[in-house]
């Protein structure tokens, strides 16, 4: 055992705190925590609007979140969502270190609602056994739980789509973590939380993560207000490849999300991974089939939406239920979450990325499945929770109403407190949550970030602004009649484009752009979409 020189002189030996833990368990949870972090960079559903009525077109959810959100958004607002996800991750890391972990998991808090500041700035968080399991130290547990919090807020950032300002959202994220996420995490996972004492079964975050992000996203969208019809007309996700990439990277990271919640390299972790795979696969298939019956197309975004909904439901349930129950859960979640995308029309809330249908509904269904199908033999596979009872499967009839009470508390608390926080911030002039109509028209990338996810968007919009003048009007040569383009156009090299005539004659006497010449850039004038259909008296 090594000793520092100072302690050696004083005769005090250091205790090896590592010896009480299995190195394999620690390594496994470290890797799982890194996988959860991998979910952040790269969720959501999109809507269209015609004649004042919303029409569902494509769907999806969490990403990596940034990839998924970006792919589902308009080109002109794609980068702002990436920025919001990335920046919120940084905000949550600081908040969790500063006091978030203490408010959620401090062992000395006895009120059952929220922790105290015993572990402020991670004081005294070192080698003692974690609040979640004796298999890993508290220092590792705090890191792993921090990544859960980061993913939750990243999901919530989907509410900003096309109209939310990013700086006020970062202020909101810090306050929301303190007043919403930390209390709900304390309810379910702190040994002194009222939900934990009551016997709530929430494996990896059906309440704090899924209901918290989904219902809070709905409340934030409600405060922001609906997007203009002009922004919703003829909407299409700008990059479905990013949607697919984000979904499958997210699926990869989710195995660490659910597998690591067993807090050790044990059979319960493997069971959670199996259930996550099964639920995601079945839910994706069902969602895609339901979309096919309407569109007669095999929607990639629809398959991604169902896959994510299945993973969401597996979050609270994968460590409690047997594999055959995961099959049933995947089928039910795929159908219910698909139809739940219509809830926002009844609520008249512009939930742009379907956070309610994808996250809240999926999380609720997973928690309900625990009340019915939770099996004590599955729970005991970690070697720690050997005396925990299951649900109806084990004749524990009261578990279902315990789960229902917990769901109701999470839903009500998340919506009300989030709405209050968002409304209060929106009343501060410098922290107004929504962009102006002019900024929405420009796009949030232009208005807020000053950069674009794809450079050709900027080129296309401002081509005549950044192109030098020719024909002697500012050009040194004065001989060129067409500005050069970047890259070949229709197999005509740049050198030929710069000297090519801008028009060519055709048989009927009309002129058309010459091969390789750039057409003039002009925006299509905005017209009343109803004027063409109105009948003359």
């Amino acid at each position: 055992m090594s000793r520092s020189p100072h302690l050696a002189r004083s005769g005090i030996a250091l205790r090896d705190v590592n010896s009480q833990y299995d190195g394999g368990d620690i390594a496994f949870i470290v890797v799982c925590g890194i996988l959860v972090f991998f979910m952040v960079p790269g969720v959501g559903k999109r809507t269209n609007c015609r004649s004042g009525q919303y029409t569902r077109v494509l769907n999806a959810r969490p990403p990596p979140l940034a990839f998924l959100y970006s792919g589902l958004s308009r080109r002109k607002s794609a980068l702002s969502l990436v920025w919001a996800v990335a920046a919120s991750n940084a905000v949550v890391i600081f908040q969790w270190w500063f006091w978030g972990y203490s408010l959620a998991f401090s062992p000395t808090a006895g009120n059952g609602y929220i922790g105290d500041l015993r572990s402020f700035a991670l004081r005294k968080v070192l080698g003692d056994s974690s609040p979640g399991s004796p298999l890993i130290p508290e220092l590792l547990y705090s890191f792993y739980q921090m990544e859960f919090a980061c993913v939750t807020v990243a999901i919530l950032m989907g509410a900003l789509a096309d109209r939310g300002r990013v700086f006020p959202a970062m202020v909101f994220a810090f306050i929301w973590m303190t007043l919403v996420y930390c209390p709900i995490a304390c309810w379910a996972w702190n040994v002194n939380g009222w939900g934990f004492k009551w016997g709530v079964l929430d494996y990896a975050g059906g309440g704090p993560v899924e209901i918290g992000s989904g219902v809070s996203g709905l409340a934030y969208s409600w405060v922001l207000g609906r997007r203009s019809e002009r922004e919703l007309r003829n909407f299409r996700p700008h990059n479905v490849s990013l949607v697919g990439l984000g979904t499958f990277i997210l699926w990869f990271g989710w195995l660490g999300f659910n597998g690591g919640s067993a807090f050790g390299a044990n059979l319960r972790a493997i069971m959670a991974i199996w259930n996550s795979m099964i639920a995601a696969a079945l839910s994706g298939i069902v969602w895609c089939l339901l979309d096919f019956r309407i569109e007669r197309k095999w929607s990639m975004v629809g398959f991604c939406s169902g896959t994510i909904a299945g993973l969401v439901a597996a979050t609270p349930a994968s460590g409690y239920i047997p594999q055959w129950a995961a099959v049933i859960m995947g089928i039910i979640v795929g159908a219910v979450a698909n139809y739940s995308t219509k809830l926002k029309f009844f609520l008249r809330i512009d939930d742009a990325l379907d956070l309610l249908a994808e996250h809240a509904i999926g999380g609720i269904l997973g928690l309900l499945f625990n009340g019915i199908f939770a099996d004590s033999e599955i729970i005991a596979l970690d070697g720690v929770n050997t005396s925990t009872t299951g649900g109806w499967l084990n004749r524990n009839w009261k578990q279902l109403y315990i789960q229902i009470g917990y769901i109701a508390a999470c839903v009500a608390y998340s919506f009300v407190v989030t709405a209050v926080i968002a409304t209060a911030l929106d009343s501060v002039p410098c922290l107004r949550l929504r962009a102006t109509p002019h900024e929405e028209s420009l796009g949030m990338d232009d208005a807020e970030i000053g950069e674009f996810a794809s450079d050709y968007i900027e080129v296309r919009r401002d081509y005549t602004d950044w192109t030098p003048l020719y024909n002697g009007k500012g050009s040194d040569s004065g001989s060129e009649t067409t500005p050069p383009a970047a890259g070949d156009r229709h197999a005509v090299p740049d050198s030929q484009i710069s000297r090519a005539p801008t028009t060519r004659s055709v048989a009927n006497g009309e002129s058309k752009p010459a091969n390789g010449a750039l057409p003039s850039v002009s925006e299509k004038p905005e017209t009343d979409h109803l004027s063409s259909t109105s009948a003359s008296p």
Side-chain angles (χ1 to χ4, degrees), residues 1-15:
M1 179 184 299
S2 62
R3 296 186 296 175
S4 68
H6 173 73
L7 292 177
R9 289 193 299 269
S10 62
I12 300 176
L14 291 176
R15 178 174 63 94

Side-chain angles (χ1 to χ4, degrees), residues 484-495 497 516 518:
D488 294 351
R489 286 176 60 84
H490 307 293
V492 179
D494 288 351
S495 58
I497 292 174
L518 291 172

Side-chain angles (χ1 to χ4, degrees), residues 26 53 95 104 122-123 134 164 176 181-182 200 203 209 250 254 306 319 337 341 396 419 438 472 483 486 500 519 525:
I26 291 179
Q53 299 295 323
Q95 191 274 351
L122 295 187
R123 293 184 307 115
W176 185 86
Y181 183 87
C182 290
V200 167
Y203 177 67
V209 179
L250 185 63
W254 221 306
T341 59
N396 183 22
H438 176 65

